Each structure stands twice: as structure tokens, then as C-alpha cells.
Amino acid sequence: MAVNNDDVKLIGAWASPYVMRPRVALNIKSVDYEFLQEQFGSKSELLLKSNPVHKKIPVLLHNGKPICESSIIVEYIDEVWSSSPSILPSDPHNRALARFWAAYLDEKWFPNMKGVITAASEEEKNAAVDQLKMEGAYGEVSRGEDFFGGEKIGFVDIAFGSMLGWARAIQVMAGVKLLDEEKTPGLVKWAEKFSADPAVKDVLPEAEKLVEFSKLLSAKFKTAAASS
């Protein structure tokens, strides 16, 4: 059980959708934490020490003990700071369903979203966009409420919502709509409500900043490739 004087730190980077997940979860639970920003292109000694297996962000440090992997961190936060509001459903079946869709987003939705921007042709781009289907899942899981988690943000909302900034950035860069008012009206409304939530709005990266960040990454990769 967490106590008020817990030492909580999060190793991450502002542009990472995976880092955004524990940030939202900590905000939902009203947990004060220190955000330790990693610099692009380098890994701090603290990160390497805290996550020696994957050497990746995010890493939550709770009283000096590291917890790795974004979804695992979110579940940990929900269990340790167990006071309401809960992030995962209490019902075992609904909890399993939430974990299923969160895993689906990481395994299918996010790779296809990246495929939109890396597509070599319009045909490939359209094929990638066609794979981005979550409207039906939203209707099934939300059961008519505002969020996948019901009346409040839950596990699937955090998993999906963490990708919204990049989804909007990719819409700008690729000139396509990933969330469309005609094809995905439920998700469009959900995205607006999720983005405006107090736990989200200050940690959701702006699309314009992500577009600039993407250009910077591309330029650095090209420079590195040319010099190798």
C-alpha cells in the first residue's frame, strides 16, 4: 500500500506514447511524481541501471524500485494506489477484455498507424488506414458511456489515448484522416473527451510539436546514414 511520502519518479520522454500512459495513470490517482526526461539519442545511467533487460522507457521508480513496460506500470499504479477511481475493471471478464484490447492496440493498431506514414504508395497507405478499426470495439467495451472504461477513463482509454497525439501528427504528415467523423463518429467524440480530461490535457503532446519532432528525427537519421 502506498503512503503519502512515497518517492515516485518516472523515467521517460515527452514525445513517447508509452511514457504518456503511466503519466495519465499517475494523474488519475493524484500521485505526485518527478518526471526524469531522457535525452534523444542517449540513455542515462539511471535508465540502463533501472531497465537492464530492454534499456527502454518508461520506467517507474517507486521508492527506488523499478517497474518497466508501460501497461505493466499502469496496472501497478492501479494496484498500489488502489483508492478510487479504478483504472482496470473489477469484473474479471471485463478486466480480461480490457487487457485484450490494450494488447491489440500495441500489436496491430500502432504498427498500422506507423505504416500510414512509411507507406511507399497511396495503395499501401490506404491499406494501412483500412486496418485501423476500433469503432466496433469502442461500442462493445464502452456500452454507450463516454469512455472505454465507462463513465471515466480506464485501461483501454489510456492505451489508445496515448497514441492520439501521434495519430493527429500522422494525419497532418500523411494527409489522411485516421479518425473520421463519418466512419468513426464514436471515436471522434471519445478522442475529444479524452483529450480534454484533466488527467490528460497537460501530458498529451500537441500534434504540431510531434510533426516538428518527427522532422528532427528524420533529419538526424539521414545524417547518421550518410556518415556511416
Side-chain angles (χ1 to χ4, degrees):
M1 177 64 68
V3 294
N4 291 334
N5 61 352
D6 281 356
D7 180 29
V8 183
K9 296 182 174 70
L10 182 66
I11 306 173
W14 69 272
S16 169
Y18 299 107
V19 172
M20 183 182 160
R21 292 174 178 178
R23 297 188 76 185
V24 172
L26 289 166
N27 287 345
I28 287 173
K29 297 291 186 174
S30 299
V31 177
D32 292 329
Y33 68 97
E34 182 181 358
F35 188 40
L36 306 176
Q37 287 254 32
E38 288 288 303
Q39 296 300 314
F40 170 72
S42 64
K43 298 178 188 289
S44 68
E45 289 186 15
L46 181 60
L47 173 61
L48 297 176
K49 177 184 176 182
S50 303
N51 189 0
V53 176
H54 296 299
K55 303 178 177 63
K56 292 181 179 180
I57 53 175
V59 178
L60 181 74
L61 297 174
H62 182 205
N63 293 330
K65 297 178 180 179
I67 303 94
C68 306
E69 299 296 315
S70 63
S71 293
I72 293 173
I73 295 172
V74 172
E75 291 203 39
Y76 177 87
I77 291 168
D78 197 33
E79 291 177 9
V80 172
W81 290 276
S82 55
S83 59
S84 190
S86 296
I87 294 173
L88 277 156
S90 57
D91 177 76
H93 178 263
N94 290 339
R95 192 161 59 245
L97 192 63
R99 287 174 174 145
F100 170 85
W101 284 113
Y104 171 85
L105 286 161
D106 281 349
E107 294 168 7
K108 300 293 184 181
W109 213 91
F110 195 50
N112 280 314
M113 186 176 73
K114 291 194 293 184
V116 173
I117 201 67
T118 59
S121 65
E122 285 297 314
E123 185 177 353
E124 287 184 13
K125 183 191 296 185
N126 292 332
V129 171
D130 286 342
Q131 294 300 313
L132 299 174
K133 300 183 184 300
M134 280 294 289
E135 182 77 9
Y138 173 67
E140 175 187 358
V141 179
S142 69
R143 296 180 176 87
E145 299 286 357
D146 287 342
F147 299 104
F148 285 88
E151 294 180 357
K152 297 181 179 179
I153 288 174
F155 194 64
V156 181
D157 297 288
I158 293 173
F160 194 12
S162 66
M163 302 177 187
L164 274 179
W166 277 107
R168 290 164 176 163
I170 288 172
Q171 287 183 157
V172 174
M173 293 185 287
V176 297
K177 281 191 174 183
L178 304 187
L179 299 181
D180 184 270
E181 291 84 354
E182 293 184 4
K183 296 180 180 178
T184 59
L187 288 179
V188 169
K189 292 179 180 178
W190 163 82
E192 292 174 354
K193 291 174 181 176
F194 179 84
S195 302
D197 191 272
V200 175
K201 60 183 181 180
D202 291 335
V203 298
L204 178 63
E206 296 176 5
E208 294 79 7
K209 291 183 178 180
L210 290 174
V211 170
E212 291 304 314
F213 180 70
S214 180
K215 291 177 181 178
L216 177 63
L217 285 183
S218 179
K220 287 193 175 184
F221 285 138
K222 287 179 181 179
T223 301
S227 60
S228 62

